[in-house]
Amino acid sequence: MDCPSEERLIRMALDGNAPVESLSFDLQNRELRVVHGGDVAPLVGLLEPLGLGTKVKFSVPVTDSAAQDSRSVFAVPKMDCPSEERMIRMALDDVPGVKSLSFDLPKRELIAVHSGSVEAILGRLLPLGLGATLSGSSSVDAIAKAGGSVDDASEAKTLRVLLAINAVMFVFELVLGLWAQSAGLVADSLDMFADAAVYGLALYAVGKAVAMKKRAAHIAGWLQLALALGALTEVVRRFIVGSEPESGLMMGVALVALVANVACLMLISGKRENGVHMKASYIFSANDVIANMGVIVAGALVAWTGSPYPDLIIGTLIGVVVLNGARRILKLG
């Protein structure tokens, strides 16, 4: 089994089989995970005629979801930025029984507290193409669950401050970026908007239905896509007709943005381990600091060389990053 056609063949072979509750495919490892009732032998009998070399690796009973909750740890080797985290959140948003998700980006791990079968979660993770595998799963007692609570009011207050800072800096950088004829500042302002959209979405979606969360995410994604395309179009236009970016204004505005993002880092540094949103917010601001420094360096190069190309290059790089973030949001179905 090494392509989607074999997957469809297996689905057709098992379609309508009453004991089968769910199917999860891992094409990379050539594995199929099945949640089913009864013995596994009849399922193997349905798959063997396909000529795909089917054999049972292991079979274990599924824990009764009504009896206890489980804490499952998933290794996600390709999860290395907040975009992948948002993809996973949206993919698992409507899975019954999922009670909390915790992400550890440095370790590339996802921890899910849930009732019901772990296969339902793994079945949503595998199609994302992030190489997700189950590292382990164990029961969760009441003390462990109580110890994992987060001060939601404090978290929401911090997110509001982050939203305000990024929204103000978006307008500030966009206006002065256009005035300074700097593609780098314009693109960096869109990076600020992308972060503000994420914080606003996190606040807006609290307590809302799944459909409303997805609708809000798509609105943010389309708006981010439009702005990113506008920034890249502006880069192309300035490359063709020419531009004279004001290096001093570029560096000054980028320095103000750098101070704002450092303030965001200080604001959330003590809370980044309290929850997934706080950790993601810390990473967003850390990435923004890098982008701000890139604009400052580009401004210095413009002053040194008298060429607009450093500004156009940094504007393109930041625009592509924002465009890729929009693409990931819109892929969330």
Side-chain angles (χ1 to χ4, degrees), residues 245-256:
E246 298 184 20
S247 59
L249 191 55
M250 277 181 65
M251 292 186 287
V253 174
L255 183 60
V256 173

Side-chain angles (χ1 to χ4, degrees), residues 46-65:
L46 293 173
L47 296 176
E48 284 182 339
L50 301 180
L52 300 176
T54 303
K55 62 180 181 180
V56 179
K57 294 183 68 174
F58 64 88
S59 182
V60 295
V62 177
T63 303
D64 181 7
S65 62

Side-chain angles (χ1 to χ4, degrees), residues 24 26 33 70-79 88 92 95 98 100-126 128 130-138:
S24 304
D26 186 344
R33 296 176 176 84
S70 296
R71 179 183 182 274
S72 298
V73 180
F74 300 88
V76 192
K78 296 181 181 179
M79 179 183 68
I88 292 172
L92 300 181
V95 175
V98 174
S100 70
L101 301 174
S102 301
F103 295 81
D104 190 334
L105 293 180
K107 294 182 179 179
R108 291 175 170 80
E109 285 185 347
L110 161 65
I111 301 173
V113 176
H114 61 95
S115 60
S117 170
V118 69
E119 298 295 340
I121 299 176
L122 195 58
R124 293 294 185 88
L125 295 177
L126 292 177
L128 299 180
L130 301 176
T133 58
L134 178 64
S135 298
S137 187
S138 58

Side-chain angles (χ1 to χ4, degrees), residues 267-327:
L267 182 65
I268 59 178
S269 60
K271 298 183 179 181
R272 56 179 169 171
E273 300 300 330
N274 288 355
V276 293
H277 293 304
M278 293 296 100
K279 185 175 291 184
S281 299
Y282 182 87
I283 294 172
F284 295 157
S285 295
N287 290 339
D288 287 344
V289 167
I290 297 174
N292 298 150
M293 294 176 66
V295 176
I296 293 173
V297 171
L301 290 175
V302 168
W304 181 43
T305 64
S307 169
Y309 290 117
D311 175 58
L312 296 175
I313 291 171
I314 193 65
T316 300
L317 292 176
I318 298 174
V320 169
V321 170
V322 176
L323 184 64
N324 187 56
R327 180 188 64 82

Side-chain angles (χ1 to χ4, degrees), residues 79-292:
M79 179 183 68
D80 54 11
C81 70
S83 297
E84 281 85 11
E85 179 178 326
R86 293 195 294 271
M87 286 175 63
I88 292 172
R89 278 191 166 280
M90 295 296 295
L92 300 181
D93 213 5
D94 58 351
V95 175
V98 174
K99 299 184 176 180
S100 70
L101 301 174
S102 301
F103 295 81
D104 190 334
L105 293 180
K107 294 182 179 179
R108 291 175 170 80
E109 285 185 347
L110 161 65
I111 301 173
V113 176
H114 61 95
S115 60
S117 170
V118 69
E119 298 295 340
I121 299 176
L122 195 58
R124 293 294 185 88
L125 295 177
L126 292 177
L128 299 180
L130 301 176
T133 58
L134 178 64
S135 298
S137 187
S138 58
S139 62
V140 178
D141 58 31
I143 296 177
K145 289 187 287 184
S149 61
V150 178
D151 186 350
D152 292 334
S154 176
E155 181 177 317
K157 181 179 179 180
T158 301
L159 284 171
R160 289 190 185 96
V161 175
L162 293 172
L163 170 59
I165 292 175
N166 280 271
V168 170
M169 288 306 303
F170 161 62
V171 176
F172 177 73
E173 277 199 285
L174 180 61
V175 172
L176 292 182
L178 293 173
W179 187 13
Q181 300 185 46
S182 170
L185 285 179
V186 171
D188 195 44
S189 73
L190 300 184
D191 192 31
M192 288 287 193
F193 168 81
D195 292 347
V198 171
Y199 302 142
L201 177 62
L203 289 170
Y204 174 79
V206 173
K208 298 293 192 305
V210 172
M212 185 63 72
K213 293 180 182 179
K214 290 186 176 181
R215 188 177 307 138
H218 274 221
I219 292 173
W222 281 114
L223 184 54
Q224 188 173 326
L225 175 65
L227 291 172
L229 290 176
L232 292 174
T233 301
E234 180 66 7
V235 170
V236 173
R237 186 189 71 81
R238 292 183 179 182
F239 179 81
I240 295 173
V241 304
S243 64
E244 296 181 1
E246 298 184 20
S247 59
L249 191 55
M250 277 181 65
M251 292 186 287
V253 174
L255 183 60
V256 173
L258 179 62
V259 172
N261 282 308
V262 170
C264 289
L265 282 176
M266 295 176 63
L267 182 65
I268 59 178
S269 60
K271 298 183 179 181
R272 56 179 169 171
E273 300 300 330
N274 288 355
V276 293
H277 293 304
M278 293 296 100
K279 185 175 291 184
S281 299
Y282 182 87
I283 294 172
F284 295 157
S285 295
N287 290 339
D288 287 344
V289 167
I290 297 174
N292 298 150

